[in-house]
Amino acid sequence: MLLRHAKSDYPDGVVDHDRPLAERGVREAALAGEWIRANVGDVDAVLCSTATRTRQTLERTGIAAPAEFVDRLYDATPGVVIEEINAVPSRFTGDVSTLLVVGHEPVMSSLALGLAADPDTDADNRAYQQVSAKFPTSAIAVLHTTAPWDRLALRGARLVDFHVPR
C-alpha cells in the first residue's frame, strides 16, 4: 500500500520537512487507518518518510506494525522508493506479506502508476484513472504483487484499489 501523508499545516517559520498535521489531517489519518484495517487487514511492516507529517500520519492511523523511518523517502523518486522496498527483507524479521509505504506527492502517484502492470485491466481501470487524476492527502493506493520484495520493479504489481478517506 502507498499512503500519502494526511493534510498538513503550514505554520510560519517551520521548514517543509518539519510541518505537522493540520486538524483535518489528524482526523483523516485515523480514517485511513480504519479503512486499511477494514479493507486490507493487518500490515506487517511500514516504510515511512522522516518528515513530521508522515510520522504523525502513521501514528494517527493506529497501525502498530514494525516501522522504519527512511530519510530517502522524503523528496524521493519512484526509483528510490522501489530501492527502499527492495531492501524490505533485510530491514524486517519475519514474513512481510503486507507493506505500507507512507510518503509524499508527487512520488506516491508516480509510483502507483509505474508499478501497475496493466493499466487497461487493473481494477477495471477505475483505480488507475483515479490515481492519474489526483492523489490527495490521506489517499491510499493498494497494489498486489507476487514478486518478492527484493525483486519488485516497475510494472511488477496490479493496482487493485484506491481510496480517499474523508
Side-chain angles (χ1 to χ4, degrees), residues 71-84:
D71 283 330
R72 293 180 75 208
L73 294 180
Y74 176 77
D75 199 26
T77 63
V80 166
V81 180
I82 290 172
E83 287 174 7
E84 295 300 327

PDB file of all heavy atoms in Angstrom, residues 71-84:
ATOM      1  N   ASP A  71      15.019   8.495   5.581  1.00  0.00           N
ATOM      2  CA  ASP A  71      15.255   9.843   5.055  1.00  0.00           C
ATOM      3  C   ASP A  71      15.038   9.921   3.547  1.00  0.00           C
ATOM      4  O   ASP A  71      14.518  10.909   3.038  1.00  0.00           O
ATOM      5  CB  ASP A  71      16.690  10.302   5.354  1.00  0.00           C
ATOM      6  CG  ASP A  71      16.873  10.732   6.794  1.00  0.00           C
ATOM      7  OD1 ASP A  71      15.910  11.224   7.404  1.00  0.00           O
ATOM      8  OD2 ASP A  71      17.999  10.575   7.307  1.00  0.00           O
ATOM      9  N   ARG A  72      15.445   8.883   2.833  1.00  0.00           N
ATOM     10  CA  ARG A  72      15.364   8.896   1.369  1.00  0.00           C
ATOM     11  C   ARG A  72      13.932   8.965   0.844  1.00  0.00           C
ATOM     12  O   ARG A  72      13.725   9.269  -0.333  1.00  0.00           O
ATOM     13  CB  ARG A  72      16.040   7.661   0.784  1.00  0.00           C
ATOM     14  CG  ARG A  72      17.535   7.627   0.988  1.00  0.00           C
ATOM     15  CD  ARG A  72      18.149   6.390   0.388  1.00  0.00           C
ATOM     16  NE  ARG A  72      18.200   6.521  -1.067  1.00  0.00           N
ATOM     17  CZ  ARG A  72      18.175   5.497  -1.901  1.00  0.00           C
ATOM     18  NH1 ARG A  72      18.099   4.254  -1.458  1.00  0.00           N
ATOM     19  NH2 ARG A  72      18.243   5.696  -3.205  1.00  0.00           N
ATOM     20  N   LEU A  73      12.936   8.676   1.668  1.00  0.00           N
ATOM     21  CA  LEU A  73      11.547   8.724   1.207  1.00  0.00           C
ATOM     22  C   LEU A  73      11.002  10.148   1.148  1.00  0.00           C
ATOM     23  O   LEU A  73       9.967  10.397   0.546  1.00  0.00           O
ATOM     24  CB  LEU A  73      10.641   7.854   2.085  1.00  0.00           C
ATOM     25  CG  LEU A  73      10.921   6.351   2.017  1.00  0.00           C
ATOM     26  CD1 LEU A  73       9.942   5.605   2.929  1.00  0.00           C
ATOM     27  CD2 LEU A  73      10.870   5.827   0.601  1.00  0.00           C
ATOM     28  N   TYR A  74      11.703  11.070   1.783  1.00  0.00           N
ATOM     29  CA  TYR A  74      11.321  12.478   1.698  1.00  0.00           C
ATOM     30  C   TYR A  74      11.928  13.031   0.416  1.00  0.00           C
ATOM     31  O   TYR A  74      13.123  12.881   0.177  1.00  0.00           O
ATOM     32  CB  TYR A  74      11.833  13.245   2.922  1.00  0.00           C
ATOM     33  CG  TYR A  74      11.552  14.726   2.866  1.00  0.00           C
ATOM     34  CD1 TYR A  74      10.272  15.206   3.131  1.00  0.00           C
ATOM     35  CD2 TYR A  74      12.548  15.627   2.532  1.00  0.00           C
ATOM     36  CE1 TYR A  74      10.003  16.563   3.067  1.00  0.00           C
ATOM     37  CE2 TYR A  74      12.289  16.978   2.475  1.00  0.00           C
ATOM     38  CZ  TYR A  74      11.014  17.452   2.739  1.00  0.00           C
ATOM     39  OH  TYR A  74      10.739  18.788   2.672  1.00  0.00           O
ATOM     40  N   ASP A  75      11.123  13.636  -0.415  1.00  0.00           N
ATOM     41  CA  ASP A  75      11.574  14.201  -1.686  1.00  0.00           C
ATOM     42  C   ASP A  75      12.192  13.119  -2.579  1.00  0.00           C
ATOM     43  O   ASP A  75      13.229  13.331  -3.221  1.00  0.00           O
ATOM     44  CB  ASP A  75      12.560  15.349  -1.446  1.00  0.00           C
ATOM     45  CG  ASP A  75      12.695  16.254  -2.660  1.00  0.00           C
ATOM     46  OD1 ASP A  75      11.741  16.333  -3.456  1.00  0.00           O
ATOM     47  OD2 ASP A  75      13.767  16.868  -2.818  1.00  0.00           O
ATOM     48  N   ALA A  76      11.572  11.942  -2.618  1.00  0.00           N
ATOM     49  CA  ALA A  76      12.094  10.792  -3.354  1.00  0.00           C
ATOM     50  C   ALA A  76      11.579  10.749  -4.789  1.00  0.00           C
ATOM     51  O   ALA A  76      10.663  11.480  -5.164  1.00  0.00           O
ATOM     52  CB  ALA A  76      11.691   9.504  -2.635  1.00  0.00           C
ATOM     53  N   THR A  77      12.164   9.852  -5.543  1.00  0.00           N
ATOM     54  CA  THR A  77      11.678   9.494  -6.880  1.00  0.00           C
ATOM     55  C   THR A  77      11.115   8.081  -6.792  1.00  0.00           C
ATOM     56  O   THR A  77      11.427   7.347  -5.837  1.00  0.00           O
ATOM     57  CB  THR A  77      12.820   9.520  -7.906  1.00  0.00           C
ATOM     58  OG1 THR A  77      13.778   8.520  -7.525  1.00  0.00           O
ATOM     59  CG2 THR A  77      13.474  10.898  -7.991  1.00  0.00           C
ATOM     60  N   PRO A  78      10.326   7.650  -7.768  1.00  0.00           N
ATOM     61  CA  PRO A  78       9.839   6.264  -7.735  1.00  0.00           C
ATOM     62  C   PRO A  78      10.974   5.240  -7.639  1.00  0.00           C
ATOM     63  O   PRO A  78      10.864   4.261  -6.905  1.00  0.00           O
ATOM     64  CB  PRO A  78       9.057   6.130  -9.045  1.00  0.00           C
ATOM     65  CG  PRO A  78       8.549   7.514  -9.302  1.00  0.00           C
ATOM     66  CD  PRO A  78       9.685   8.408  -8.862  1.00  0.00           C
ATOM     67  N   GLY A  79      12.081   5.480  -8.344  1.00  0.00           N
ATOM     68  CA  GLY A  79      13.204   4.546  -8.292  1.00  0.00           C
ATOM     69  C   GLY A  79      13.789   4.412  -6.895  1.00  0.00           C
ATOM     70  O   GLY A  79      14.142   3.308  -6.465  1.00  0.00           O
ATOM     71  N   VAL A  80      13.882   5.516  -6.173  1.00  0.00           N
ATOM     72  CA  VAL A  80      14.402   5.485  -4.803  1.00  0.00           C
ATOM     73  C   VAL A  80      13.450   4.697  -3.903  1.00  0.00           C
ATOM     74  O   VAL A  80      13.885   3.871  -3.092  1.00  0.00           O
ATOM     75  CB  VAL A  80      14.618   6.916  -4.263  1.00  0.00           C
ATOM     76  CG1 VAL A  80      14.818   6.915  -2.752  1.00  0.00           C
ATOM     77  CG2 VAL A  80      15.801   7.571  -4.965  1.00  0.00           C
ATOM     78  N   VAL A  81      12.155   4.912  -4.051  1.00  0.00           N
ATOM     79  CA  VAL A  81      11.196   4.187  -3.220  1.00  0.00           C
ATOM     80  C   VAL A  81      11.255   2.689  -3.524  1.00  0.00           C
ATOM     81  O   VAL A  81      11.226   1.858  -2.612  1.00  0.00           O
ATOM     82  CB  VAL A  81       9.764   4.743  -3.378  1.00  0.00           C
ATOM     83  CG1 VAL A  81       8.790   3.956  -2.505  1.00  0.00           C
ATOM     84  CG2 VAL A  81       9.720   6.217  -3.020  1.00  0.00           C
ATOM     85  N   ILE A  82      11.363   2.333  -4.800  1.00  0.00           N
ATOM     86  CA  ILE A  82      11.485   0.916  -5.154  1.00  0.00           C
ATOM     87  C   ILE A  82      12.756   0.324  -4.535  1.00  0.00           C
ATOM     88  O   ILE A  82      12.724  -0.792  -4.010  1.00  0.00           O
ATOM     89  CB  ILE A  82      11.438   0.712  -6.677  1.00  0.00           C
ATOM     90  CG1 ILE A  82      10.021   0.991  -7.194  1.00  0.00           C
ATOM     91  CG2 ILE A  82      11.872  -0.711  -7.054  1.00  0.00           C
ATOM     92  CD1 ILE A  82       9.882   1.003  -8.702  1.00  0.00           C
ATOM     93  N   GLU A  83      13.857   1.054  -4.543  1.00  0.00           N
ATOM     94  CA  GLU A  83      15.081   0.567  -3.894  1.00  0.00           C
ATOM     95  C   GLU A  83      14.846   0.304  -2.410  1.00  0.00           C
ATOM     96  O   GLU A  83      15.330  -0.695  -1.863  1.00  0.00           O
ATOM     97  CB  GLU A  83      16.217   1.579  -4.048  1.00  0.00           C
ATOM     98  CG  GLU A  83      16.804   1.645  -5.435  1.00  0.00           C
ATOM     99  CD  GLU A  83      17.831   2.761  -5.572  1.00  0.00           C
ATOM    100  OE1 GLU A  83      18.197   3.412  -4.560  1.00  0.00           O
ATOM    101  OE2 GLU A  83      18.271   2.993  -6.722  1.00  0.00           O
ATOM    102  N   GLU A  84      14.121   1.191  -1.754  1.00  0.00           N
ATOM    103  CA  GLU A  84      13.833   1.002  -0.328  1.00  0.00           C
ATOM    104  C   GLU A  84      12.905  -0.196  -0.112  1.00  0.00           C
ATOM    105  O   GLU A  84      13.083  -0.959   0.846  1.00  0.00           O
ATOM    106  CB  GLU A  84      13.241   2.274   0.276  1.00  0.00           C
ATOM    107  CG  GLU A  84      14.203   3.448   0.279  1.00  0.00           C
ATOM    108  CD  GLU A  84      15.487   3.196   1.068  1.00  0.00           C
ATOM    109  OE1 GLU A  84      15.453   2.460   2.076  1.00  0.00           O
ATOM    110  OE2 GLU A  84      16.534   3.743   0.663  1.00  0.00           O
TER     111      GLU A  84
END
